[in-house]
Amino acid sequence: METLDRTEWDVVIVGTGLAQSLLALSLSRSGKRVLHLDANDYYGGEEAAFSLDEARAWAAKHAAVDVSSSTHSHAAITTKQDDPTPGEGGDRPRLASSRAYSLTLSPHLIYARSDLVSTVVSSQIHNQLDFQAVGSWFVLHPRPPAFSITRLSRVPSGREDVFSDTALDLRAKRSLMKFLRFVGHYEEQGDVWEAEKETPFPTFLEQKFALPPSSHAPILALTLSQKPGSSTSTAVALPRIARHLRSLGVFGPGFSAVLPKWGGLAEIVQVACRACAVGGGVYVLNKGIRSVEKERRDEEPSAHIQLDGGENVSTRWLVGLDNDLRAVLQGRPARADETVATSRSISIVSSPLASLFPRTSEGGPIPAGAVISVPSANADEPPVFVLAHTSEAGECPMNQSVLYASVALPAEQGHERLRQAVTVLLDNVTERDPQEGQVKPEVLWEMAYQQTTPVSGDVQIGDDGVITLPAMAQDLVFDDGVLGGVKQAWQCITGEGPDVFMQFDAREGVGDDELND
Amino acid sequence: MADSTTASAPKPSSSVKLVLLGEAAVGKSSLVLRFVNNDFQPNKEPTIGAAFLTQKCQLPNRIIKFEIWDTAGQERFASLAPMYYRNAQAALVVYDITKPSSLVKAKHWVAELQRQASPGIVIALVGNKLDLCEDDGPEQDQQDGEGVDEQQEDEVARKVSTEEAKAYAEEESLLFFETSAKTGHNVGEVFTAIANGIPEASLKGPKGAGAGTQSAISAAQDSTRVNLNAGNGNAGPKEGCAC
């Protein structure tokens, strides 16, 4: 293997999370010498995707309950089978081999109007990515006081849906149509909502649009707000619903959001890193940094970095997540930001759950994802959201499916809520097997963990040449702010203007004309 | 991306994703450059820039369009991502016949492919830099000649015998060739042999590459795909790169 010792770089980037990887790509195409390191032996950092074996190793590493230095904690795996060997034998549904799975830590929805979509297109990396549609939104209605009686209903997200919804009476339909029309142009109608910014959104719906409480859950589901309805303000909810509606139909009929096939944002990471390597970036996995010594050289700051293994490299800029850099930078203040804990789980389900993925349009793509909101019977508790993926998303074998559940509660309460929500969801999905009639879907494997993230994060550009990128927020939807931070860091390092950020010509080289014939 | 309706040529045409693997500096990119451009650049820098080349291979009854993925130098620090070999239907594992360690590395890559790649992937083991071994080129056409002792005398630079590599290739059911990217010797043959080795069943027209283990449901798979170039808003593409 070649050595990195005594090499000089313009930028050393630590960690291969999404933000770092997009930054690496943008810099490599601006002629910067980029060394991109990851202490892990896999790509993706906090947005990685894993086989079962890799997930087991990850969970062991993140089982600790200390949240001061790590985004992930409280990781635990439960599996129905002691011996997950692959095989056709036996009647019971089984886990397939480890590598048949690609379970992601970042199952984010990406709305069609997200800057991330335009960036992967303008940077040409979409040619090596597959995106799939998130089709339906469902609400699993709790009927107080018992949680056990529930109803799974599709959320109407457009005009046609509203008219065909049998759960609404005519008056409610009219109110809902009026509301959806309003949200489409809410910015211009400040008189309706600006005085109500801080009003709980359900109150706003009831008072301004005469929408009965029974219709609130589906509307709240479209916000994907992880707060309880009673603490989701009108100012937060309106732009989120508008985002959903405005993304409808952008890339085809019947869906507003997409997911990257093969493991969520982890896949974008891998493709971006490869594109960066093509642009001259150098990649080294399994190598972290041990120490950093800063100095000024020719009036410019620079850093001498000792890597795991003992090689020394020097660089003008050092970039990474705060969590990754704090340990090696002396005198760095402890993280003071306010943090929020989210419980998450990944469940492999023994059947395809086909009823969650109906076609949402004629001629549109077949959905590979669905969203299920599971509000708590107690209005002051946060809802559970479940993102369901079919095997077509490339994360599990055929005839199985994957559920990614999350709730804005720490692990102690959150994991139980998630387990309950997944159980109730599976109780409410009817699966028909052509041979055996009805079959009951079961969870074959589950990993639960806690994610602790800063409430708000900005990119920090130090005059010592150290740039810290914020960790990904808890949101279920990809936050365009991440991309904003990357762009800011890129502008600072390259001195270039914002208009050319990630604007690359097709770079297929020889034979390009044949590629698209 | 290509649309299947354009595949109206008399011969059926199929795309095949082919990945290059092997130690740094064994001549992976040079082999491809010879195959695609019939060109050779001595003292070539480690690969950056060209990462994705295509070349058609004409067979009697069909056309195979290779989508050739170069490593972009990511093998140098063992940092190739899984997406690199996912869904590859063919792999070219290259070693340098003057460098025994490169065959060790090649064996590692073969094991990795057998573990990670789609089942049924066609793997060709290729010993490159035959031109560095004097008199080897023409004799190679008769394949492993009897005069082993005599050959060793002549081949100052050769460090990996044809027999050793060939025996390994047979054991692992790999296609095997010794090539020279510099002279072009055997280069075309490698790709033709790979094209012939791809089972007809795994070819599915121009969008064939990428189906991998899920080939049985390729029709359904295509229709889950969202075309980002279809955007009608500001999220749409700025370059008309993908027809």
Side-chain angles (χ1 to χ4, degrees), chain A residues 43 130-131 261 274 278 516, chain B residues 49 70 79 221 223 225-226 241:
Chain A
Y43 283 90
D130 273 326
F131 286 91
K261 189 174 178 173
R274 180 174 149 77
V278 170
N516 300 315
Chain B
D70 207 334
S79 58
Q221 183 181 32
S223 58
R225 192 168 191 281
V226 171
C241 59

Side-chain angles (χ1 to χ4, degrees), chain A residues 1-4 43 54 99 102 112-114 117-118 120-122 124 126-133 249-252 255 258 261-262 267 270-271 273-274 277-285 311 359 364-368 390-392 394 396-398 503-512 514-517, chain B residues 1-3 6 24 33 36-37 46-56 65 67-84 86-87 112 115-116 206-207 210-211 213-214 216-217 220-243:
Chain A
M1 189 111 62
E2 298 175 36
T3 178
L4 292 163
Y43 283 90
E54 289 161 345
R99 288 193 182 277
S102 175
R113 296 264 186 215
S114 165
V117 173
S118 45
V120 302
V121 172
S122 71
Q124 306 291 334
H126 70 300
N127 289 320
Q128 288 170 35
L129 288 163
D130 273 326
F131 286 91
Q132 295 169 315
V250 170
F251 291 117
F255 64 98
V258 295
K261 189 174 178 173
W262 305 113
E267 185 69 2
Q270 292 192 43
V271 172
C273 289
R274 180 174 149 77
V278 170
V282 170
Y283 278 82
V284 189
L285 296 180
E311 303 115 303
R359 272 204 108 114
I366 298 171
T390 69
S391 63
E392 286 293 307
C396 68
M398 268 178 83
Q503 303 289 328
F504 309 137
D505 292 336
R507 191 187 173 118
E508 315 297 0
V510 195
D512 185 34
E514 299 221 332
L515 182 64
N516 300 315
D517 66 4
Chain B
M1 284 285 139
D3 192 292
T6 57
L33 206 59
V36 173
N37 273 4
T47 301
I48 58 166
F52 191 61
L53 301 174
T54 64
Q55 177 66 298
K56 283 177 180 164
K65 192 162 96 188
E67 293 173 356
I68 304 166
W69 289 44
D70 207 334
T71 57
Q74 285 186 291
E75 77 283 15
R76 286 188 293 159
F77 297 102
S79 58
L80 270 177
M83 53 90 51
Y84 181 72
R86 177 191 304 144
N87 293 333
E112 184 77 0
R115 212 158 51 91
Q116 292 236 40
K207 284 275 318 135
T213 52
Q214 305 201 335
I217 47 163
Q221 183 181 32
D222 273 349
S223 58
T224 64
R225 192 168 191 281
V226 171
N227 181 5
L228 296 193
N229 293 318
N232 57 19
N234 52 17
K238 301 202 165 48
E239 283 103 328
C241 59
C243 56

Side-chain angles (χ1 to χ4, degrees), chain B residues 179-196:
Chain B
T179 60
S180 166
K182 189 173 180 181
T183 66
H185 179 76
N186 252 356
V187 174
E189 286 80 349
V190 174
F191 288 89
T192 307
I194 293 174
N196 276 312

Side-chain angles (χ1 to χ4, degrees), chain A residues 178-192:
Chain A
K178 194 174 153 215
F179 171 72
L180 292 175
R181 265 200 311 272
F182 156 74
V183 179
H185 307 277
Y186 78 98
E187 290 96 335
E188 299 137 39
Q189 299 169 70
D191 54 311
V192 180

Side-chain angles (χ1 to χ4, degrees), chain B residues 95 97 103 148 152 158-166 176 178:
Chain B
Y95 68 97
I97 62 170
L103 179 62
V148 176
Q152 276 171 350
R158 180 189 279 273
K159 296 276 169 49
V160 178
S161 76
T162 308
E163 291 71 26
E164 180 196 351
K166 197 176 180 202
F176 174 68
E178 287 186 344

Side-chain angles (χ1 to χ4, degrees), chain A residues 254-381:
Chain A
F255 64 98
S256 60
V258 295
L259 54 93
K261 189 174 178 173
W262 305 113
L265 299 182
E267 185 69 2
I268 299 182
V269 164
Q270 292 192 43
V271 172
C273 289
R274 180 174 149 77
C276 173
V278 170
V282 170
Y283 278 82
V284 189
L285 296 180
N286 234 333
K287 197 166 283 283
I289 56 178
R290 266 188 205 161
S291 63
V292 178
E293 230 174 90
K294 285 182 271 186
E295 66 161 32
R296 294 194 84 83
R297 196 198 283 176
D298 306 332
E299 299 300 302
E300 294 239 293
S302 85
H304 295 285
I305 300 172
Q306 189 176 57
L307 308 176
D308 289 343
E311 303 115 303
N312 292 290
V313 301
S314 58
T315 180
R316 166 73 177 83
W317 299 93
L318 173 62
V319 188
L321 294 184
D322 188 56
N323 267 345
D324 291 335
L325 292 185
R326 196 160 1 98
V328 290
L329 291 169
Q330 291 93 7
R332 203 91 182 153
R335 182 165 70 188
D337 310 344
E338 201 187 333
T339 58
V340 58
T342 309
S343 292
R344 294 181 174 275
S345 74
I346 304 172
S347 306
I348 299 169
V349 177
S350 62
S351 53
L353 306 179
S355 56
L356 293 179
F357 309 97
R359 272 204 108 114
T360 49
S361 67
E362 288 295 321
I366 298 171
V371 177
I372 303 101
S373 153
V374 191
S376 168
N378 177 348
D380 296 328
E381 285 180 2

Side-chain angles (χ1 to χ4, degrees), chain B residues 49-151:
Chain B
F52 191 61
L53 301 174
T54 64
Q55 177 66 298
K56 283 177 180 164
C57 190
Q58 300 271 354
L59 297 182
N61 57 350
R62 57 183 176 169
I63 298 166
I64 300 287
K65 192 162 96 188
F66 284 112
E67 293 173 356
I68 304 166
W69 289 44
D70 207 334
T71 57
Q74 285 186 291
E75 77 283 15
R76 286 188 293 159
F77 297 102
S79 58
L80 270 177
M83 53 90 51
Y84 181 72
Y85 23 73
R86 177 191 304 144
N87 293 333
Q89 288 147 292
L92 205 60
V93 180
V94 186
Y95 68 97
D96 174 348
I97 62 170
T98 70
K99 201 174 166 199
S101 71
S102 71
L103 179 62
V104 174
K105 189 68 194 169
K107 290 177 179 177
H108 160 86
W109 281 121
V110 169
E112 184 77 0
L113 285 167
Q114 287 168 342
R115 212 158 51 91
Q116 292 236 40
S118 313
I121 185 171
V122 176
I123 305 173
L125 179 70
V126 174
N128 192 35
K129 305 199 184 177
L130 195 58
D131 50 276
L132 294 181
C133 307
E134 291 169 19
D135 303 331
D136 220 15
E139 281 176 30
Q140 197 56 27
D141 289 334
Q142 297 140 33
Q143 287 298 317
D144 48 327
E146 302 303 309
V148 176
D149 291 341
E150 195 183 296
Q151 268 187 11

